[in-house]
Amino acid sequence: MKICVVGGGSTYTPELVDGIARLRATLPVSELALVDPDKTRLDLVGGLSRRIFARQGHPGTIRTTSDLDEGVDGASAVLLQLRVGGQAARHVDETLPLDCGCVGQETTGAGGLAKALRTVPVVLNIADRVAALAPDAWIVDFTNPVGIVTRALLDAGHRAVGLCNVAIGFQRRFAAALGVRPDRVRLGHVGLNHLTWERAVYLDGEDVLPRLLADHAEEIAADLELPAALIRRLGVVPSYYLRYFYEHDAVVAEQLHAPSRAEQVAVIEEGLLEMYADPALDEKPALLEERGGAYYSEAAVDLVASLAGDRGDVQVVNVRNGGRLPFLPDEAVIEVPARITASGPEPLPVDPVEPLYAGLIAHVAAYEELALEAARKGGVDRVADALLAHPLIGQASIADELAPRLVAANAAHLPWAVSA
C-alpha cells in the first residue's frame, strides 16, 4: 500500500512515521510519499523518517518530493496535514482578533476563519489531483479547521473523512485513569470538530463516566483549564476547545500578556529541526510531545487500516450528519463515533443532545456554513457575515472591523483579495 502525506515536511511527520513503523502489522505500508514545497524541511524530516523505519525494521520505502502529482499517483490514502502560510500566518490568526477583544485561536473564532479562507482552496486543488491520479484513494484530513475542510471536500464529491486527535487523547487518558487497556474504552463523543463533549465513557459496555468524575474531576479539569465545579455540574467532559467559549474573557486576558502559541511552536520547531538534522537520531525525540498532535499516528493508522481493510470497527471521525443530529442539516459535518468500512464511515445513532450543547452546536454549524461560503467564493462581506454568525464574535461593529483586516492580513494567500 502506498500512502501519501501532503505537508510531509511538517515537524509532526516523525510522529506519524513512528506509528506506521510500530503498527506495520495493522497497516502494511510499502511506500510512504512525503510531499512538501519546502525542500530543506522535507530533507530533514525525510532523513529522520528513513532512520525511524530502519531502526524498527520496517521494509517500506520513504520517498520525498515537492511534486504533488508524483506523491499522489497510485496512493491508496492521502493524508493532509498542511499549514498554508506557516507559523507566521498562525501568529496573525492568534493576535489580530485580540485587538477587538476576541479570542485569538487558530481553529475557532476569527483566527479559525482566517485559516479556513487560506486552506480550503488549496485543499480542494490538492483533492482534484487525487481524484485524477488516485481516484480510489481516501483523503484523510487532519488539517484545521477539520470540520470546514472536510465539508468542503465532501461537497466537492471527494472520498474524504476528517480526523482529529481529541477523542483518542481522551480515550487514552480515561483508560490510564481506569487502569485498563485503551481498546476496552469507548466514548460517547458528540459535537463538531473542536466543539465536542464526552457524555459517556464506556468500559466494556458500561458507562463509567460518573465514576471518573467522582474520582478524577480535579485532574480532568486541570487538563482542560476549566473549573472542576463546572465539570461536575455538567456531568460531561468538554473538549479543551470549549474553554474558548466557557472562559472567553479570561482567555483573552491571558493571551494579551503571553506569547502566541505560534511563537512558542516556532521555537519548538527550530529545536526539532536541529535534532532531525542529527544523522544519529533514529527515533522521535521527546521534544515532539510539546509540538502537539499526541496519538495522531495511532488514530491515522487505525482509520486508514479500517478504510482499506473493511474492518467495521468504531472510531471517532468527522463525517456527514445524515440526520444523526436532527437540528442540523444533513450535509453538515459532525464529529461522532462511526463504523469504518471500505465504503467509508457510517455515523452511529446519537442520543438526543441536550439544549445546552445543541444550541452551541447549531450556532457554530451555521457559522461553518458561512465560513465555507466565504472560503469558496471570497468577498469581504461574506467574511463579515461569517464573523457575525460566530458566537465568539457576534457583534456587527466587531465583525465589520475584523473582516477587512483579516482579508488584508491574508491577501497573499487569497487570490480574490486583490480586488476586495
Side-chain angles (χ1 to χ4, degrees):
M1 172 189 294
K2 176 181 178 179
I3 292 181
C4 173
V5 181
V6 181
S10 168
T11 53
Y12 270 136
T13 299
E15 159 71 21
L16 176 63
V17 172
D18 175 76
I20 291 173
R22 285 186 292 103
L23 302 171
R24 56 185 176 274
T26 301
L27 185 67
V29 175
S30 57
E31 180 180 346
L32 181 64
L34 306 180
V35 179
D36 202 288
D38 189 328
K39 186 177 185 304
T40 300
R41 289 174 67 115
L42 191 58
D43 287 346
L44 293 174
V45 171
L48 173 58
S49 298
R50 293 186 184 96
R51 295 192 297 273
I52 290 173
F53 262 29
R55 176 189 174 98
Q56 301 199 29
H58 194 290
T61 299
I62 294 179
R63 303 189 189 281
T64 58
T65 179
S66 295
D67 185 325
L68 176 65
D69 284 6
E70 179 184 341
V72 164
D73 190 20
S76 297
V78 178
L79 277 57
L80 305 182
Q81 56 175 42
L82 58 147
R83 181 180 294 280
V84 179
Q87 296 299 329
R90 177 180 182 171
H91 176 70
V92 176
D93 295 345
E94 294 173 335
T95 55
L96 192 155
L98 296 173
D99 293 343
C100 298
C102 297
V103 72
Q105 214 281 325
E106 65 151 346
T107 66
T108 192
L113 174 59
K115 193 171 195 300
L117 296 176
R118 297 191 304 269
T119 304
V120 165
V122 173
V123 165
L124 290 177
N125 287 336
I126 293 168
D128 286 343
R129 300 311 301 153
V130 176
L133 296 167
D136 294 328
W138 281 97
I139 298 174
V140 177
D141 180 64
F142 192 67
T143 296
N144 284 317
V146 167
I148 295 173
V149 173
T150 302
R151 169 78 182 268
L153 288 165
L154 292 173
D155 284 358
H158 297 292
R159 286 162 56 88
V161 56
L163 181 64
C164 180
N165 66 329
V166 166
I168 192 172
F170 274 131
Q171 182 209 35
R172 298 304 173 86
R173 284 196 288 272
F174 295 153
L178 293 165
V180 301
R181 296 190 319 273
D183 62 3
R184 294 177 58 191
V185 176
R186 285 177 54 180
L187 303 176
H189 183 102
V190 69
L192 310 176
N193 179 241
H194 288 186
L195 193 86
T196 53
W197 296 262
E198 309 305 331
R199 297 188 297 166
V201 177
Y202 298 105
L203 174 60
D204 301 332
E206 176 191 356
D207 184 9
V208 296
L209 180 57
R211 188 208 312 174
L212 275 169
L213 292 179
D215 296 343
H216 301 281
E218 295 291 342
E219 56 206 82
I220 291 171
D223 284 344
L224 302 175
E225 297 185 54
L226 286 169
L230 174 64
I231 306 276
R232 290 192 184 96
R233 179 167 63 80
L234 295 178
V236 302
V237 179
S239 82
Y240 174 85
Y241 292 89
L242 265 299
R243 184 170 188 258
Y244 299 115
F245 295 81
Y246 293 162
E247 298 279 345
H248 177 274
D249 292 353
V251 172
V252 170
E254 293 169 6
Q255 291 180 331
L256 286 169
H257 299 96
S260 70
R261 176 61 180 164
E263 291 174 306
Q264 297 170 14
V265 169
V267 172
I268 294 169
E269 288 195 327
E270 183 179 355
L272 286 171
L273 291 171
E274 288 180 5
M275 292 178 179
Y276 295 175
D278 180 357
L281 182 68
D282 58 3
E283 59 185 345
K284 63 177 184 178
L287 180 62
L288 188 53
E289 294 178 11
E290 298 182 28
R291 176 64 182 85
Y295 307 116
Y296 162 44
S297 60
E298 284 91 338
V301 166
D302 274 346
L303 179 55
V304 174
S306 294
L307 291 168
D310 198 30
R311 296 195 306 183
D313 58 343
V314 174
Q315 300 176 35
V316 174
V317 293
N318 285 260
V319 65
R320 289 278 199 203
N321 176 39
R324 292 300 188 249
L325 302 184
F327 53 89
L328 295 184
D330 285 352
E331 61 271 18
V333 167
I334 60 176
E335 188 173 287
V336 293
R339 193 165 301 283
I340 313 297
T341 69
S343 300
E346 177 62 28
L348 300 183
V350 178
D351 290 338
V353 178
E354 299 84 344
L356 183 59
Y357 316 123
L360 189 52
I361 292 170
H363 198 161
V364 174
Y367 148 77
E368 289 190 346
E369 187 166 339
L370 293 168
L372 182 53
E373 185 80 354
R376 284 173 174 153
K377 298 181 180 178
V380 175
D381 286 349
R382 290 191 180 94
V383 173
D385 286 349
L387 291 168
L388 186 59
H390 201 294
L392 295 182
I393 299 147
Q395 298 182 60
S397 59
I398 295 176
D400 290 344
E401 179 182 350
L402 273 175
R405 294 183 63 190
L406 285 183
V407 170
N410 291 278
H413 306 289
L414 308 175
W416 55 266
V418 176
S419 58

